[in-house]
Amino acid sequence: MMQNVHLAPEADEDDLYSGYNDYNPTFDTEDLENDVAFQQAARTSHGRRPPVTAKIPGTSGSRPLATGFGSKAALTSSMGRPMTGAIQDGVARPMTAVHAAGYTKAAMRGSSFDPLGQARGPAPPLEMKNSDSSEEKIRQLEKKVNELVEESCIANSCGDLKLALEKAKEAGRKERVLVRQREQIATPENINLDLTYSVLFNLASQYAANEMYAEALNTYQVIVKNKMFTNGGRLKVNMGNIYLKQRNYSKAIKFYRMALDQIPSVHKEMRIKIMQNIGVAFIKTDSEQMKKAFQKLIAVPLEVDYDDKYISPNDDPHTNLLIEAIKNDSLRQLERERKSMAEEYIMTAAKLIAPVIETSFAVGYDWCVEVVKASHYVELANDLEINKATTYLRQQDFNQALETLKMFEKKDSRVKSAAATNLSFLYYLENELAQATNYADLAVNSDRYNPAALTNKGNTIFANGDYEKAAEFYKEALRNDSSCTEALYNLGLTYKKLNRIDEALDCFLKLHAILRNSAQVLHQIASIYEIMEDPNQAIEWLLQLISVVPTDPHVLSKLGKLYDNEGDKSQAFHYYYESYRYFPSNIEVIEWLGAYYIDTQFCEKAIEYFERAALILPTQVKWQLMVASCYRRSGNYQKALEKYKVIHRKFPENVECLRFLVRLCTDMGLKEVQEYVTKLKKVEKLKEIREQRIKSGRDGSARSRREGSAGGDASYIDPLGPQAERPKTAARKRNEEDDFADEELGEDLLPE
């Protein structure tokens, strides 16, 4: 099988491609046109038949193949050309492709092997661009348009909206020139639609940024209506945004929905944002509808004669008698009721819509005030301003409330009284009692029948300690308005201060009938029963109180204290523990819980509470000594010794700590006992010296006082002696108040 396979000679191993420039004359095709025999063979069928044998046997024929004539010969081409790999002149030809190996006609003619074409020389120079050509002008113009669009976008991002719009307009002009030039030298299909789209889109965006909404909408319409822009319909979202800014909410919703129809379902995020815009537009539509409804409410004809009708134009007795007769008749009363009802509806509607129709409640109130001033209900504008100030108070914006209320100091008496009442309340909250008193006096003088003004006046007097006089103002406020809960509450507090407990309880029980779930009222009733030494009733009212405020730690600790006084330790522990859960920093509660666990022989549990107390009050040695005592009681003497040592380092002069250290070291047989004994003696000696100094100082001062009194005027009597009582300051009185945060009820927030 290997007889026809020949390897390259060993001498030519280093040059695998040697002999490529040598060729057999059989393969010379240069003179085939002049070869008569070849041309004759080509014109006959004889030339189309393969020869029986090849001139040179091919290397690929490993075994003879049978032909149609029954003979066997090596495989050759139809032209008698030897196959690749045939032996020529005793050397096997490399098995490679002709062109890839450089076997070309030039090689046959004796040219050198040059597969890279290096013999051809350098490439010719590039042709110079013709700047005057139409195509080159168009390319330069396109480049300029793109640069203008980029500059416009950059100016917009930098906040220079005017420059951005100018650049966008210039880009639009140059783009139109570019389109005309392209139409002159080419078909319309060659127009750059992407460039046109970007120019128009940028121009519309800059119009919108400069609030030129009509121009922006026209530009967007040009894009949307052009069917050649495949995704232009999505820009209807931008058009919807413009209509939303123009408060044309119906059109905004229409364009949002048109855009939503053109967004494929795969773009879920974009569809969600568009639907969110639709929702916002509907909300804005509600705001507009509320405004329209309020305007219609203002425009409803009341058909009521105004007060001018009941003023006599002259001194005619008959006319005056007629006017007096009809001034308070049933028809006049009906007119008053209708007018009062209309004013109530308008005020209620304004309070409801003002916080939601604009970006802020202040702007909404301003809009309502302007609408009311342009109607027949001009006097209601002042009441709306008062409501605006009251809203500022609820938001704790005292400065804005003061500015709003001070505008009414020169108004008519009714409005002045309402404004002064709220100003007095504001200054009272800021503890400026002088200003609060001035405005309370102004409010009462402007309208003596205003219960809110009387309540505030009573509060300023109460703060100054004149409880009897304060009670008179609260009673007067209740006579003018029996439903004034603020006056009734404060009257109860006043009776409590005056130690008129039964009257105070009566006030708070009446108030409880009106305000069933008021935590302040329930607390005051429980407090009064506690003063009356009726713990069962106090516990009952406190249980009602924790049903209203179940997480108030002070109420829970108060219940625990009452149960502890009654001897019910389990209930006391329950409420003390609940109080500790909600407020774990009350030292009184922590101390009780720690003592409870020590009494029940759970000293390990008590350690947790005393450690927290020591963390809260690190300068008090008491709590750290309690922790060490718990370790000692539980039998953990090593821990107790370590804790006492820590305490001794922090408080080296504490005698109790040193005594326990001596005792523990003695019981445990430690060598340190002598050291602590020495320290204990030294500290006790220092303590005795201090006590002697203090005692001698007291004796000397007492002796000097006796000597001074003996040498003075015996007829002089101190007016503030044992029989007199010094007046308490307001600060001292406040410190003696109950712990409940809201004992002194805030005054009327709303003007009457």
Side-chain angles (χ1 to χ4, degrees):
M1 292 179 61
M2 301 296 293
Q3 61 184 352
N4 293 326
V5 178
H6 298 276
L7 299 176
E10 294 182 0
D12 296 335
E13 278 186 13
D14 295 334
D15 190 4
L16 294 177
Y17 298 99
S18 63
Y20 276 11
N21 292 334
D22 300 333
Y23 66 96
N24 196 308
T26 306
F27 302 113
D28 189 1
T29 59
E30 294 291 330
D31 296 330
L32 288 179
E33 295 180 358
N34 300 325
D35 191 341
V36 178
F38 176 79
Q39 294 296 330
Q40 181 65 27
R43 285 194 294 269
T44 62
S45 61
H46 176 76
R48 291 193 292 274
R49 292 191 308 215
V52 178
T53 58
K55 295 180 181 179
I56 301 175
T59 59
S60 63
S62 61
R63 62 188 178 87
L65 297 175
T67 65
F69 296 98
S71 60
K72 296 180 179 179
L75 185 63
T76 61
S77 67
S78 62
M79 297 299 296
R81 178 184 173 188
M83 297 296 291
T84 302
I87 302 174
Q88 298 181 15
D89 299 332
V91 179
R93 179 167 172 247
M95 301 177 66
T96 58
V98 174
H99 287 285
Y103 191 74
T104 60
K105 293 181 181 180
M108 294 178 185
R109 291 195 296 270
S111 61
S112 60
F113 178 67
D114 187 14
L116 300 179
Q118 297 178 0
R120 291 196 295 256
L126 297 175
E127 296 181 2
M128 297 297 293
K129 289 184 179 180
N130 187 4
S131 58
D132 296 333
S133 65
S134 300
E135 287 295 332
E136 182 62 25
K137 290 180 178 179
I138 289 174
R139 279 195 295 271
Q140 293 297 326
L141 194 54
E142 281 187 354
K143 182 179 179 182
K144 182 63 176 175
V145 171
N146 282 315
E147 289 176 353
L148 288 170
V149 172
E150 291 178 3
E151 291 174 2
S152 174
C153 295
I154 292 171
N156 183 284
S157 63
C158 294
D160 194 346
L161 302 180
K162 185 177 180 181
L163 178 62
L165 180 59
E166 292 176 358
K167 294 288 184 181
K169 288 181 178 180
E170 187 178 353
R173 289 192 294 268
K174 289 187 178 297
E175 194 274 336
R176 287 192 294 272
V177 173
L178 175 63
V179 170
R180 286 195 295 269
Q181 290 185 5
R182 278 198 176 276
E183 289 175 348
Q184 291 174 1
I185 65 171
T187 58
E189 289 79 7
N190 293 329
I191 296 174
N192 191 344
L193 292 176
D194 292 337
L195 182 62
T196 304
Y197 182 89
S198 63
V199 169
L200 291 173
F201 178 59
N202 179 63
L203 181 60
S205 301
Q206 303 307 332
Y207 276 134
N210 284 272
E211 298 183 358
M212 301 172 66
Y213 297 130
E215 292 83 354
L217 289 171
N218 292 335
T219 309
Y220 278 127
Q221 284 287 1
V222 172
I223 302 175
V224 170
K225 290 182 178 180
N226 193 335
K227 301 299 182 183
M228 300 179 72
F229 299 137
T230 54
N231 295 323
R234 300 185 182 185
L235 295 181
K236 291 179 181 177
V237 176
N238 296 27
M239 300 176 72
N241 292 339
I242 292 175
Y243 283 121
L244 189 68
K245 291 179 181 178
Q246 292 180 328
R247 299 188 177 184
N248 192 344
Y249 302 117
S250 59
K251 277 200 171 183
I253 294 171
K254 173 184 175 182
F255 275 88
Y256 284 143
R257 285 175 169 170
M258 292 168 66
L260 188 64
D261 293 337
Q262 297 191 12
I263 302 297
S265 58
V266 294
H267 300 297
K268 294 182 180 179
E269 186 175 354
M270 184 179 291
R271 290 179 63 87
I272 289 172
K273 288 182 178 180
I274 294 175
M275 286 189 284
Q276 182 180 0
N277 286 7
I278 293 174
V280 171
F282 273 118
I283 293 173
K284 295 291 186 180
T285 303
D286 293 339
S287 300
E288 289 298 313
Q289 290 175 352
M290 284 189 282
K291 286 184 176 181
K292 291 179 181 178
F294 185 76
Q295 290 171 335
K296 289 180 180 179
L297 179 65
I298 292 288
V300 171
L302 195 58
E303 298 179 357
V304 172
D305 292 328
Y306 294 95
D307 294 335
D308 295 342
K309 174 182 177 181
Y310 301 99
I311 298 175
S312 176
N314 49 43
D315 295 334
D316 184 8
H318 179 72
T319 305
N320 293 338
L321 187 62
L322 179 62
I323 290 175
E324 287 295 328
I326 66 174
K327 185 178 289 186
N328 292 311
D329 63 353
S330 58
L331 180 60
R332 175 58 176 162
Q333 292 177 3
L334 178 62
E335 289 178 344
R336 286 175 178 169
E337 290 177 2
R338 293 187 64 179
K339 184 178 180 182
S340 176
M341 182 180 65
E343 290 178 351
E344 181 182 359
Y345 288 165
I346 292 170
M347 291 294 295
T348 304
K351 292 176 186 177
L352 289 174
I353 70 171
V356 296
I357 59 175
E358 294 291 347
T359 55
S360 67
F361 83 92
V363 180
Y365 267 110
D366 292 340
W367 183 88
C368 293
V369 168
E370 293 301 323
V371 173
V372 169
K373 284 182 178 178
S375 67
H376 297 294
Y377 304 95
V378 182
E379 64 276 6
L380 293 181
N382 293 327
D383 294 336
L384 284 175
E385 290 284 358
I386 295 290
N387 286 333
K388 180 181 175 182
T390 305
T391 308
Y392 278 127
L393 287 178
R394 292 196 182 101
Q395 295 182 351
Q396 297 184 356
D397 192 349
F398 296 141
N399 294 329
Q400 288 290 342
L402 286 171
E403 291 179 7
T404 305
L405 292 171
K406 285 183 177 180
M407 296 188 300
F408 297 97
E409 292 183 0
K410 297 181 180 180
K411 298 283 184 178
D412 61 331
S413 60
R414 185 181 64 86
V415 178
K416 185 191 297 184
S417 177
T421 300
N422 286 281
L423 284 169
S424 174
F425 169 68
L426 273 176
Y427 284 117
Y428 182 84
L429 291 180
E430 294 180 353
N431 204 26
E432 297 184 18
L433 295 180
Q435 288 282 7
T437 303
N438 292 336
Y439 280 105
D441 292 337
L442 178 61
V444 172
N445 294 333
S446 300
D447 185 1
R448 187 73 188 186
Y449 299 99
N450 185 352
L454 293 167
T455 301
N456 278 358
K457 178 62 179 175
N459 290 339
T460 58
I461 297 173
F462 183 97
N464 290 321
D466 192 349
Y467 302 122
E468 291 286 356
K469 191 174 181 181
E472 293 300 322
F473 277 99
Y474 296 141
K475 290 177 184 177
E476 186 176 355
L478 288 170
R479 285 194 294 270
N480 292 331
D481 183 5
S482 59
S483 63
C484 183
T485 55
E486 291 84 359
L488 185 57
Y489 182 92
N490 291 350
L491 181 61
L493 284 182
T494 306
Y495 284 144
K496 189 178 176 183
K497 287 288 185 183
L498 294 170
N499 203 26
R500 294 156 65 174
I501 303 301
D502 293 334
E503 294 174 272
L505 181 61
D506 184 54
C507 290
F508 288 121
L509 289 175
K510 288 179 181 178
L511 196 57
H512 176 64
I514 302 171
L515 306 173
R516 303 293 298 180
N517 295 321
S518 172
Q520 295 173 332
V521 176
L522 292 170
H523 175 268
Q524 292 297 337
I525 295 173
S527 175
I528 289 176
Y529 276 118
E530 189 178 1
I531 294 172
M532 297 171 69
E533 297 182 355
D534 189 348
N536 293 327
Q537 283 290 333
I539 290 173
E540 181 181 344
W541 285 97
L542 286 175
L543 289 174
Q544 293 186 42
L545 178 56
I546 62 170
S547 67
V548 178
V549 283
T551 60
D552 191 311
H554 299 290
V555 178
L556 292 168
S557 64
K558 177 72 75 173
L559 267 173
K561 184 177 180 180
L562 289 173
Y563 276 117
D564 185 35
N565 293 337
E566 291 296 301
D568 193 343
K569 294 290 185 182
S570 61
Q571 286 288 353
F573 171 75
H574 170 72
Y575 287 109
Y576 270 125
Y577 182 75
E578 288 295 307
S579 175
Y580 174 78
R581 266 199 329 123
Y582 292 115
F583 184 57
S585 299
N586 190 330
I587 292 296
E588 181 183 350
V589 174
I590 292 172
E591 184 176 12
W592 191 94
L593 288 171
Y596 172 82
Y597 279 117
I598 290 176
D599 292 341
T600 54
Q601 304 299 318
F602 289 101
C603 297
E604 295 86 354
K605 287 276 189 180
I607 292 173
E608 173 188 347
Y609 296 98
F610 291 133
E611 283 182 342
R612 178 170 288 275
L615 187 65
I616 297 170
L617 300 172
T619 59
Q620 292 187 10
V621 69
K622 169 185 175 181
W623 309 111
Q624 301 188 38
L625 289 172
M626 292 297 292
V627 173
S629 176
C630 289
Y631 282 126
R632 185 170 51 82
R633 287 170 181 264
S634 62
N636 194 343
Y637 297 111
Q638 186 61 39
K639 275 275 191 181
L641 180 62
E642 293 175 0
K643 187 64 180 176
Y644 279 124
K645 287 180 178 180
V646 172
I647 296 171
H648 176 63
R649 285 195 294 270
K650 292 182 179 178
F651 304 94
E653 296 184 358
N654 186 270
V655 176
E656 186 178 354
C657 177
L658 284 169
R659 286 174 181 168
F660 279 111
L661 279 171
V662 171
R663 184 184 300 178
L664 283 173
C665 290
T666 303
D667 294 342
M668 298 172 69
L670 299 177
K671 297 179 181 179
E672 303 168 84
V673 62
Q674 192 59 41
E675 177 187 350
Y676 292 121
V677 168
T678 305
K679 289 182 178 180
L680 177 59
K681 291 180 179 179
K682 187 183 295 185
V683 170
E684 287 178 341
K685 188 174 181 180
L686 288 172
K687 185 177 180 182
E688 290 177 3
I689 294 172
R690 289 196 189 102
E691 289 177 352
Q692 289 177 0
R693 288 177 179 174
I694 293 172
K695 185 178 179 181
S696 62
R698 288 176 180 172
D699 293 342
S701 60
R703 188 164 51 253
S704 62
R705 282 199 300 271
R706 286 196 299 271
E707 292 173 354
S709 60
D713 187 358
S715 64
Y716 177 75
I717 299 175
D718 185 5
L720 292 175
Q723 303 301 322
E725 182 180 357
R726 294 181 182 274
K728 298 179 181 179
T729 62
R732 290 176 61 197
K733 287 196 290 292
R734 289 193 193 94
N735 292 334
E736 293 173 1
E737 296 291 336
D738 292 338
D739 290 335
F740 198 75
D742 295 324
E743 177 161 310
E744 293 187 9
L745 184 67
E747 293 67 25
D748 192 10
L749 287 175
L750 296 175
E752 295 295 330

